[in-house]
Amino acid sequence: MRRKAVSVICSFIWALILTAGNGFAQGQWITLTEDNSAEVYPASDYTGEIRMTFLGDCTLGGEEKSRNNRLGFARRIQENGMDFPFRFLSRLTLQDDLTVANLEGVLTDRTLKKEKKKYNFSGSSEYTEILNAGGIDCVTLANNHFLDYGEGGVAKTLEVCKEHGIDTVGGGMNLNEASSTLYKEINGE
């Protein structure tokens, strides 16, 4: 049986505007419409403020053989609660306008065949509660662990993130989904 290829492409235009009206911002403010047309303004014309936080790799769960041991991820969550991983960051992430994290691994409760590689990361689908408690609005999926459990892991991760209001970028069930642009309204704009 030929397995459907799951493509992962991540394309970001990262723009950080820090109080554009104060003269520190340089470059351009680009507003993309749903038909992919762009309106371009000098950054100094933007008078609002957007606060964004970008987090690095977040592995929720880990490898099957170690996540339930005494010091494993599942045990730590069981002992300390779902807010534990981001407890000290949530002061920042719950007050910004957008928080993006790189989700290393899949979220699923199903037993899935793992790919043949040295490390395969997965965690329970209930770990979306960790992302919500941590103020994570969006996760990037374009990394070396998104395909650790094949198409089934990809599908379940996308499903549970959507169910819990967490946007995803850089991954999907096909090339079109994986490379689609995420549009976010922030502060009414």
Side-chain angles (χ1 to χ4, degrees), residues 122-164:
S122 70
S124 171
S125 59
E126 72 179 2
Y127 290 164
T128 51
E129 292 177 38
I130 293 170
L131 297 170
N132 288 143
I136 311 303
D137 303 299
C138 178
V139 292
T140 62
L141 303 173
N143 59 62
N144 59 321
H145 291 288
F146 184 53
L147 299 173
D148 282 359
Y149 289 85
E151 193 174 305
V154 167
K156 190 61 176 176
T157 301
L158 294 169
E159 176 188 322
V160 298
C161 285
K162 184 176 183 175
E163 285 174 0
H164 289 88

Side-chain angles (χ1 to χ4, degrees), residues 7 11 22 31 48 57 74 92 104 130 146 157 160 183-184 187:
S7 300
S11 61
N22 68 7
T31 302
D57 295 353
L92 174 68
E104 287 278 347
I130 293 170
F146 184 53
T157 301
V160 298
Y183 295 92
K184 290 290 288 184
N187 298 333

